């Protein structure tokens, strides 16, 4: 299953080289846009004074983590609809391969791209701004980004299991749920600035804890005790959500076997 997913994803990536270039350039483009706008309305020094973090490091890291989470979660959450539109969903349902193996294998090729994205965006910027010490700091941010991506897999499975069982036009609801999840992760809107209800919800989302750990790390370029606690909470929640998410997907596919796949 892992080999098949790699062949499927990288066959498309290598065929559409412009998409790969855009993917690697996206953190730079988004960070540059935000920094230009921020400089125009208040100056970059104001951001540093309020947060204690270099805005360039903050937004490059934030862009990288957001794109990493989206790359992995999108490939997973949209796959059932993709199989449906391509007409391959009935064959997938008849496959003897374990559901858990299939849905865990789907995001793995994207994780490789996540590491490549970190090597071409986070690492160079940290090295230029922080010197040789920035290499280690950039590597830590990349690893936290990978952890955030991995921790979002169980959440994606849980959302898929609930969504695909409850609605027919899944893509419409996904277009609403997806940006809400991105906001709650706290990449560009730190959860310390959210209302208390929003903060409470974010603590239940594994990747949001990794994001806060990364943001705290950017302030001092050191992982303090609380940051390690947040990383541990990320891993613990992922372990808790994984069997629940798999069970939800299995239940959805079981329902499809009973009702059949609609082709209209």
């Amino acid at each position: 299953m892992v080999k098949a997913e790699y062949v499927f994803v990288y066959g498309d990536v290598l065929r559409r080289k412009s998409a790969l270039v855009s993917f690697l350039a996206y953190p730079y483009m988004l960070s540059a846009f935000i920094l230009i706008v921020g400089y125009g309305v208040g100056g970059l020094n104001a951001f540093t004074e309020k947060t204690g973090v270099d805005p360039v490091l903050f937004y490059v890291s934030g862009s990288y983590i957001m794109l990493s989470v989206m790359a992995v979660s999108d490939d997973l959450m949209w796959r059932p609809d993709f199989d449906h539109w391509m007409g391959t969903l009935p064959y997938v349902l008849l496959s003897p391969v374990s559901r858990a193996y299939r849905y865990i294998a789907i995001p793995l090729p994207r994780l490789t791209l996540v590491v490549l994205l970190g090597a071409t965006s986070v690492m160079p910027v940290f090295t230029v701004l922080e010197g040789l010490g920035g290499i280690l700091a950039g590597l830590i941010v990349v690893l936290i980004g990978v952890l955030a991506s991995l921790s979002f897999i169980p959440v994606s499975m849980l959302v898929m299991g609930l969504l695909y069982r409850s609605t027919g036009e899944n893509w419409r609801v996904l277009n609403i749920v997806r940006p809400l999840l991105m906001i709650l992760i706290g990449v560009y809107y730190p959860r310390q600035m959210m209302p208390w209800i929003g903060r409470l919800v974010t603590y239940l989302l594994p990747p949001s804890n990794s994001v806060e750990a990364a943001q705290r790390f950017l302030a001092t370029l050191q992982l303090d005790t609380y940051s390690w606690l947040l990383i541990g909470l990320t891993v613990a929640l992922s372990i808790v959500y994984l069997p629940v998410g798999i069970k939800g997907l299995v239940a959805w596919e079981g329902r499809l076997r009973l009702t059949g796949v609609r082709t209209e």
Side-chain angles (χ1 to χ4, degrees):
M1 285 304 302
V2 173
K3 180 181 178 181
E5 287 297 330
Y6 267 91
V7 171
F8 174 71
V9 171
Y10 279 88
D12 184 58
V13 168
L14 296 177
R15 179 176 60 86
R16 298 189 302 141
K17 294 181 175 59
S18 59
L20 177 60
V21 173
S22 300
F23 177 76
L24 297 178
Y26 187 83
Y28 290 103
M29 294 187 296
L30 186 57
S31 299
F33 174 77
I34 295 174
L35 290 169
I36 290 172
V37 173
Y39 184 78
V41 299
L44 300 182
N45 291 333
F47 183 92
T48 305
E49 291 173 0
K50 292 182 178 180
T51 64
V53 181
D54 186 318
V56 176
L57 297 181
F58 182 89
Y59 285 113
V60 166
S61 301
S63 300
Y64 162 70
I65 294 176
M66 184 194 72
L67 195 59
S68 300
V69 172
M70 288 176 58
V72 172
S73 62
D74 281 359
D75 211 27
L76 191 60
M77 287 196 289
W78 286 98
R79 183 61 65 86
D81 269 341
F82 176 81
D83 288 333
H84 188 192
W85 296 330
M86 295 298 292
T88 56
L89 186 56
Y91 304 99
V92 171
L93 296 176
L94 292 173
S95 170
V97 177
S98 167
R99 300 304 100 191
Y101 290 161
R102 178 169 187 266
Y103 286 106
I104 290 175
I106 287 173
L108 295 182
R110 297 291 181 182
L111 282 174
T112 309
L113 287 176
V114 165
V115 175
L116 176 62
L117 180 65
T120 58
S121 60
V122 175
M123 297 289 289
V125 172
F126 270 74
T127 303
V128 169
L129 295 181
E130 299 295 331
L132 294 179
I135 297 177
L136 178 59
L139 179 60
I140 291 175
V141 172
V142 171
L143 292 176
I144 292 177
V146 172
L147 176 62
S149 303
L150 283 171
S151 67
F152 203 63
I153 293 174
V155 178
S156 300
M157 289 181 175
L158 182 58
V159 171
M160 291 165 61
L162 294 173
L163 179 61
Y164 284 99
R165 290 190 66 186
S166 60
T167 178
E169 295 185 344
N170 312 303
W171 62 274
R172 297 182 186 274
V173 183
L174 273 176
N175 283 331
I176 298 174
V177 172
R178 179 171 168 269
L180 288 177
L181 289 173
M182 292 300 110
I183 293 174
L184 290 174
I185 287 175
V187 171
Y188 290 116
Y189 193 80
R191 64 181 177 190
Q192 292 87 348
M193 302 173 62
M194 296 181 183
W196 69 270
I197 295 179
R199 289 199 302 270
L200 181 61
V201 173
T202 63
Y203 277 105
L204 299 177
L205 294 175
S208 68
N209 298 299
S210 295
V211 169
E212 184 179 356
Q215 292 170 348
R216 291 178 63 87
F217 172 76
L218 291 175
T220 61
L221 296 184
Q222 292 181 349
L223 287 173
D224 57 16
T225 303
Y226 185 65
S227 297
W228 282 111
L229 180 63
L230 290 171
I231 292 174
L233 183 59
T234 300
V235 176
L237 287 174
S238 301
I239 295 174
V240 171
Y241 286 149
L242 184 58
V244 179
I246 292 175
K247 185 176 181 180
L249 286 174
V250 171
W252 163 69
E253 291 191 347
R255 179 183 176 186
L256 279 183
R257 288 193 178 92
L258 292 176
T259 61
V261 178
R262 297 178 182 179
T263 57
E264 68 273 7

